[in-house]
Amino acid sequence: MKRSLQNSSALSQILFTILVLFFACPLNVLAQNAKTTIVGSVRTSESIPADNVSVYLLNTPYGTTTDDKGNFELKVSTGTYTLIIKQVGAKVEQRTIEVKEGINKIPVIVLSMSNTDLQEVSISSGRVNKFSRKSSPYVTKMPLNNLENPQVYSSISKELLKDQQINNLDEALKNAAGVSKSFESTGRAGSGGTTFVLRGFVTQSKLRNGLAGNITTAIDAANVESIEVLKGPSATLFGNSMSSYGGLINRVTKKPFKATGGEVAYYAGSYGLNRVTADFNTPVDTAGKLLFRVNAAYNSQNGFQENAFRKSFLFAPSIKYEVNDKLTFLLDAEFNQLQSAGSQFLYFYGGTPVSQFGVSSAADVNINYRSSFSSRDMIKKGENANVFGQMDYKISNNWKSQTNLSLTTSGSSGSSPYYYLIPGAKVRSLTAVKAATTPAKSYNDDFYLERMVWEPNGTDLNAEIQQTILGDFKVAGIRNRLTIGLDYLHTNTNITFNRFSNNDYYNPAGATAALRGAKLNDVFDFVSISNPGPDYYKFNQTKVDSAYANRPAGTTLVTRSNTTTYSAFVADVVNITDNLNALLSLRIDRFVNNGILNNSTNVTSNGYKQTAYSPKFGLVYQILPEQVSLFANYQNGFANKTGTDFEGNAFKPEQANQLEGGVKFDLFKGILSGNVSYYDIKVKDIVRAYELNPQLSIQNGTQRSKGVEVEVIANPIAGLNLIAGYGYNDSRYTNTSANLDGLRPVSAGPEQLVNFWMSYRVNRGILQGLGAGIGGNYATKNYAINTIALGQFILPSYKIYNAALFYDQRKYRLGLKMNNIGNTPYWVGNSTMNPQMLREVIANIAFKF
């Protein structure tokens, strides 16, 4: 595989040449087969979107099914037709329609069945490809079918979450092709959410329904309808602070609907798991214009490591008010609290060559996988309070306005332990007993943990206001779907890290002057990983409080920022022909760092301003209309940089540009769908050390990340559903430093990833509703250290298998899930080695009403 991608430039040229040949077909030839369009939507008796409903024209080959929003679209010739809407268990609806040139909008069609009935029918009939989603209003900030979209994205549906009995986003994202976890959630304000890797770059789940919605703890799935993973640089429509060069993660939340119903569930399992969830929805008024829904979850579980635990609470209310058929308001919120202790975050002592550790793999480190090396009373706390508002106004049949407000606040407090792996020889060279009269403590073992602790106390605030106008119109007979937006984003971070300096140790007289003057910030002690003895139990809150009280204060560390971003963006999907469309978009971004106010001097410093332009282009040609499309895109991302280079020139924004091409498919009436793509991301203007004077900087660094992704979602027979993904990524520094050039960044994650899940549900007979699923994940090795000077330390490859059983009935559901069936130890990390969950068994019961 590596060899095949060494000539990636040639491959990309060939791929884009092929696509250009397709796109270069004479437009007048394509226009000869041009068809007009029928669009419409289907609703249940409660006005809820009805998905997977058959829609076809009588005595013609034209037919489709509604998407998850209840919408459908057919491309036909002009004429008079009989439109049939058919669903098992409901009265067949039919309409006589006259189709003219252009877009023909059909009035909303209402089925004679409830949403609950529709769900039961869809399940019992073996719903076609229930893991697949055909469209999204968020990916391009306009309603657009996947086959029309030149950007690749993975969508994790609520049906897949239910099949796998998933309770958090960390587990859910194992179903996205080319995505891996990089770092555990720390709960720290602002940046404490779980970190993932997409296409060789780290990112976090910061978006909620397409807007700022950061949660800094492990995200509970109780309020999640689906999850969208957008691939590649996506700053054009979402800005740089919410996305990375590899892409972004957007969670779509549950919304109120016009019916009374809900679900209460209880989970119990390994490590003392107790979890309760509730989902309740009801109209508030008799007219069904004011709707209310609330989701809540309480989760308590010990860790697989001694003294570890995690307790969390989520409360997410939502209110929708339909003033009339043109104006709608939506107000919702998320309140989340977390208390946890005992997680291992294992770093490597800085500047230590791998050879001095004596091992070069996490699997060979002689540390107890189940030991936390800290007390249960060292509790860190995280909380989030997020409020969202949305106003939708239908200006006309072709124009809509949407106004959004997002206020997100995160806070953290309490002791946050972390650890450094350090060779015994290094400990012996760094430390000795401070008082000469005190007997010297010996450090004779080969490997130690430098146990560290600090208290990151503070808050992070994000406020976003976004106004968009959406249009669907024709210019000179050519259809345009246009989004114009203005965006305001303000962030304010104020976090103080409480620290102490360890004065129990001093540097030996033989050490360098720099070492003798160094402070051992945050160091509690050094403990042997193989023979910790009584010292193991000393790392507790009482002794940490004593350290804060009796030791000198550590070096001050304060994270403060006050920034404002003003943006304007536009995106236009132009249907050049029925089968060929182009996406043209551009963002103008004005970033203002307001600087930090020193209250003692009343002086504000470190402020700066930058302007960035972020374009995005794409082409899609449907070689088989509504079945197979070829696509190509150019996408951009950027990062603001402060400071000056060695000549005193101000830095400009760092840039990442992606070229990508591939194929998307939705075949056999939705039975088989997916995509195959090749991408090439080049990062430029990286700030790096200036060779002639390393104390200064130069902005000419580069990095490259290229690869292949494959995703397949299928429903080969009724009741059998599967999803599979493969990701290959070749990421390297290309012009940074002699110590790094040509090497894979430690933040790039595994080179290859595989995900797979298959489930079967009995749809008829006395066993109807009984089902089972099995699947897993594979990842190649990852680097925790990878430099020429220090060598390589790897996190080994791993294979993890999971399985589930369920019995789903109209009024209740029983489930049993086993994660990591083989009880396999494995690690993830970003310059770290973080042990992951061992075998876990979870049973659950849900009551539906």
Side-chain angles (χ1 to χ4, degrees):
M1 188 65 176
K2 291 182 180 178
R3 184 175 298 175
S4 66
L5 285 174
Q6 286 175 347
N7 296 320
S8 59
S9 296
L11 284 173
S12 61
Q13 291 177 2
I14 292 172
L15 179 58
F16 275 84
T17 300
I18 292 173
L19 292 172
V20 168
L21 289 175
F22 275 109
F23 297 147
C25 294
L27 298 185
N28 59 341
V29 175
L30 293 172
Q32 291 176 4
N33 296 318
K35 297 182 176 66
T36 190
T37 303
I38 302 172
V39 296
S41 62
V42 181
R43 298 289 186 267
T44 66
S45 58
E46 303 147 335
S47 296
I48 298 171
D51 66 338
N52 198 47
V53 175
S54 296
V55 180
Y56 62 93
L57 300 180
L58 188 64
N59 299 324
T60 76
Y62 304 127
T64 186
T65 56
T66 57
D67 61 19
D68 57 317
K69 302 298 182 184
N71 299 322
F72 66 88
E73 182 175 308
L74 290 168
K75 289 183 171 60
V76 301
S77 302
T78 57
T80 302
Y81 299 92
T82 299
L83 180 68
I84 304 295
I85 298 88
K86 188 174 182 180
Q87 180 58 277
V88 177
K91 174 186 175 184
V92 176
E93 302 288 340
Q94 66 178 47
R95 305 282 191 277
T96 299
I97 58 174
E98 183 178 353
V99 178
K100 301 179 180 179
E101 291 186 359
I103 299 172
N104 295 258
K105 294 189 176 181
I106 307 300
V108 174
I109 298 166
V110 179
L111 294 175
S112 59
M113 66 190 316
S114 70
N115 182 59
T116 302
D117 293 334
L118 177 63
Q119 289 179 349
E120 293 299 319
V121 167
S122 296
I123 291 171
S124 62
S125 63
R127 181 193 191 279
V128 174
N129 221 347
K130 66 181 182 179
F131 295 162
S132 174
R133 286 293 176 265
K134 297 182 179 181
S135 64
S136 168
Y138 303 109
V139 176
T140 52
K141 291 193 178 293
M142 66 175 72
L144 194 66
N145 291 332
N146 184 34
L147 289 180
E148 298 178 288
N149 194 335
Q151 184 168 10
V152 175
Y153 66 95
S154 296
S155 184
I156 302 169
S157 68
K158 62 182 179 182
E159 289 84 3
L160 180 55
L161 298 177
K162 184 180 293 185
D163 256 29
Q164 295 184 351
Q165 302 167 43
I166 283 175
N167 295 327
N168 60 74
L169 257 67
D170 289 18
E171 292 296 314
L173 285 165
K174 293 179 179 180
N175 294 289
V179 178
S180 64
K181 184 163 72 171
S182 174
F183 206 89
E184 306 289 337
S185 166
T186 65
R188 186 187 309 163
S191 61
T194 305
T195 301
F196 302 91
V197 178
L198 286 75
R199 297 192 170 183
F201 300 94
V202 295
T203 192
Q204 294 178 310
S205 177
K206 293 186 176 182
L207 283 165
R208 179 189 186 276
N209 299 327
L211 294 170
N214 190 29
I215 289 182
T216 57
T217 63
I219 300 177
D220 199 297
N223 192 38
V224 173
E225 183 79 9
S226 65
I227 305 162
E228 298 173 340
V229 182
L230 283 63
K231 310 293 184 66
S234 301
T236 308
L237 294 179
F238 298 95
N240 68 323
S241 61
M242 299 296 153
S243 63
S244 80
Y245 299 155
L248 61 85
I249 301 168
N250 177 49
R251 65 186 190 279
V252 180
T253 59
K254 297 176 180 178
K255 308 291 193 303
F257 54 90
K258 293 184 177 181
T260 297
E263 178 179 294
V264 176
Y266 173 71
Y267 299 74
S270 302
Y271 312 110
L273 171 66
N274 281 283
R275 174 178 172 85
V276 180
T277 66
D279 180 0
F280 175 70
N281 183 92
T282 185
V284 177
D285 63 338
T286 56
K289 290 182 174 294
L290 183 62
L291 312 173
F292 173 75
R293 187 172 187 175
V294 61
N295 281 270
Y298 171 77
N299 199 93
S300 176
Q301 185 178 26
N302 297 322
F304 65 93
Q305 294 173 323
E306 182 188 26
N307 293 330
F309 77 89
R310 180 180 289 264
K311 294 181 180 180
S312 64
F313 175 70
L314 169 71
F315 181 70
S318 181
I319 297 174
K320 184 178 181 180
Y321 180 44
E322 298 178 358
V323 180
N324 50 46
D325 58 355
K326 289 188 175 183
L327 181 62
T328 302
F329 292 94
L330 178 66
L331 178 66
D332 50 9
E334 291 175 331
F335 303 101
N336 189 79
Q337 292 183 337
L338 170 73
Q339 292 186 357
S340 64
S343 299
Q344 277 189 19
F345 296 98
L346 304 178
Y347 296 83
F348 297 85
Y349 193 82
T352 303
V354 172
S355 59
Q356 293 186 17
F357 288 106
V359 294
S360 59
S361 170
D364 297 327
V365 177
N366 186 25
I367 187 172
N368 189 338
Y369 195 84
R370 292 179 176 271
S371 295
S372 66
F373 286 87
S374 64
S375 171
R376 191 179 177 88
D377 64 355
M378 295 180 62
I379 300 172
K380 55 185 176 183
K381 301 177 181 179
E383 55 188 24
N384 293 266
N386 303 339
V387 179
F388 310 90
Q390 178 178 303
M391 181 183 74
D392 288 298
Y393 182 70
K394 183 179 179 181
I395 301 171
S396 67
N397 289 335
N398 299 100
W399 292 92
K400 297 179 181 178
S401 169
Q402 186 175 95
T403 306
N404 285 284
L405 170 66
S406 169
L407 297 173
T408 64
T409 304
S410 61
S412 60
S413 61
S415 295
S416 184
Y418 60 105
Y419 309 87
Y420 279 93
L421 289 168
I422 179 170
K426 181 71 71 173
V427 176
R428 291 188 288 273
S429 69
L430 287 176
T431 64
V433 176
K434 181 176 182 181
T437 58
T438 305
K441 180 174 181 177
S442 60
Y443 293 96
N444 297 323
D445 289 339
D446 293 331
F447 234 141
Y448 286 81
L449 277 186
E450 185 179 33
R451 297 198 287 194
M452 319 280 286
V453 62
W454 61 11
E455 292 183 351
N457 300 330
T459 59
D460 178 84
L461 168 69
N462 288 268
E464 182 177 18
I465 301 174
Q466 187 175 104
Q467 172 64 51
T468 56
I469 301 293
L470 291 82
D472 190 338
F473 58 93
K474 285 190 173 182
V475 176
I478 297 176
R479 184 185 182 188
N480 288 257
R481 280 167 285 181
L482 178 69
T483 295
I484 301 173
L486 297 174
D487 190 89
Y488 168 87
L489 177 65
H490 178 73
T491 65
N492 194 321
T493 303
N494 190 351
I495 304 173
T496 299
F497 293 77
N498 293 335
R499 315 177 76 185
F500 57 81
S501 176
N502 194 320
N503 63 338
D504 289 348
Y505 307 98
Y506 70 92
N507 301 118
T512 64
L515 285 177
R516 287 198 302 271
K519 287 185 176 182
L520 296 175
N521 289 302
D522 307 330
V523 176
F524 180 81
D525 68 1
F526 298 90
V527 62
S528 170
I529 65 171
S530 58
N531 185 28
D535 287 346
Y536 180 88
Y537 300 100
K538 291 182 179 179
F539 198 24
N540 57 58
Q541 191 61 50
T542 299
K543 291 190 178 296
V544 167
D545 290 341
S546 176
Y548 279 110
N550 299 313
R551 291 176 179 171
T555 303
T556 301
L557 178 59
V558 178
T559 300
R560 298 179 65 188
S561 67
N562 184 355
T563 67
T564 305
T565 306
Y566 307 90
S567 306
F569 57 88
V570 60
D572 190 12
V573 176
V574 182
N575 281 82
I576 302 172
T577 71
D578 286 338
N579 299 336
L580 174 63
N581 65 267
L583 170 65
L584 310 171
S585 26
L586 177 67
R587 183 185 194 91
I588 302 175
D589 191 280
R590 180 62 170 172
F591 176 78
V592 180
N593 187 321
N594 299 303
I596 302 302
L597 173 65
N598 186 325
N599 291 312
S600 63
T601 63
N602 203 31
V603 174
T604 300
S605 59
N606 299 322
Y608 70 98
K609 300 177 181 180
Q610 280 185 338
T611 300
Y613 299 88
S614 181
K616 175 181 177 181
F617 308 107
L619 289 171
V620 175
Y621 179 58
Q622 298 189 45
I623 55 176
L624 291 176
E626 301 180 15
Q627 296 183 72
V628 180
S629 64
L630 297 176
F631 69 90
N633 67 56
Y634 165 85
Q635 296 179 192
N636 173 267
F638 61 91
N640 298 107
K641 296 296 177 181
T642 182
T644 58
D645 66 11
F646 68 100
E647 294 180 325
N649 299 315
F651 292 140
K652 54 189 176 183
E654 183 181 282
Q655 296 281 336
N657 298 297
Q658 172 185 277
L659 290 176
E660 181 177 20
V663 59
K664 296 184 178 183
F665 50 90
D666 187 22
L667 300 169
F668 313 117
K669 296 184 178 180
I671 288 176
L672 177 66
S673 63
N675 61 78
V676 180
S677 65
Y678 169 82
Y679 62 87
D680 191 343
I681 303 172
K682 295 180 180 179
V683 184
K684 64 177 184 177
D685 297 329
I686 297 174
V687 176
R688 65 186 187 91
Y690 181 43
E691 296 93 335
L692 300 181
N693 186 348
Q695 302 300 317
L696 301 177
S697 300
I698 185 172
Q699 192 177 22
N700 67 350
T702 57
Q703 181 181 341
R704 190 172 187 179
S705 185
K706 55 190 177 182
V708 172
E709 288 177 348
V710 181
E711 186 170 68
V712 176
I713 308 173
N715 177 208
I717 61 175
L720 179 63
N721 289 270
L722 63 88
I723 181 171
Y726 171 75
Y728 172 85
N729 173 262
D730 179 12
S731 183
R732 298 181 186 276
Y733 293 114
T734 50
N735 182 33
T736 53
S737 71
N739 192 37
L740 296 175
D741 285 348
L743 299 180
R744 185 177 183 83
V746 295
S747 59
E751 188 177 77
Q752 298 187 62
L753 294 164
V754 178
N755 64 277
F756 175 78
W757 180 262
M758 176 176 65
S759 71
Y760 179 75
R761 175 191 172 110
V762 179
N763 294 316
R764 290 177 175 82
I766 60 174
L767 296 179
Q768 180 176 336
L770 180 65
I774 189 168
N777 295 83
Y778 166 75
T780 56
K781 68 180 181 183
N782 187 19
Y783 294 105
I785 300 175
N786 190 24
T787 72
I788 293 174
L790 301 181
Q792 296 179 333
F793 190 100
I794 68 169
L795 308 179
S797 64
Y798 59 84
K799 298 175 184 176
I800 303 299
Y801 300 100
N802 310 310
L805 294 171
F806 55 86
Y807 185 58
D808 199 358
Q809 297 296 301
R810 183 180 180 87
K811 292 295 184 181
Y812 66 91
R813 183 179 67 251
L814 303 174
L816 181 67
K817 176 74 179 292
M818 180 179 290
N819 296 318
N820 194 353
I821 295 172
N823 204 33
T824 303
Y826 69 106
W827 296 262
V828 302
N830 180 352
S831 301
T832 59
M833 51 176 281
N834 303 335
Q836 299 299 290
M837 177 68 80
L838 293 170
R839 183 187 296 121
E840 180 185 30
V841 179
I842 301 173
N844 61 86
I845 182 171
F847 298 98
K848 298 178 277 186
F849 54 91

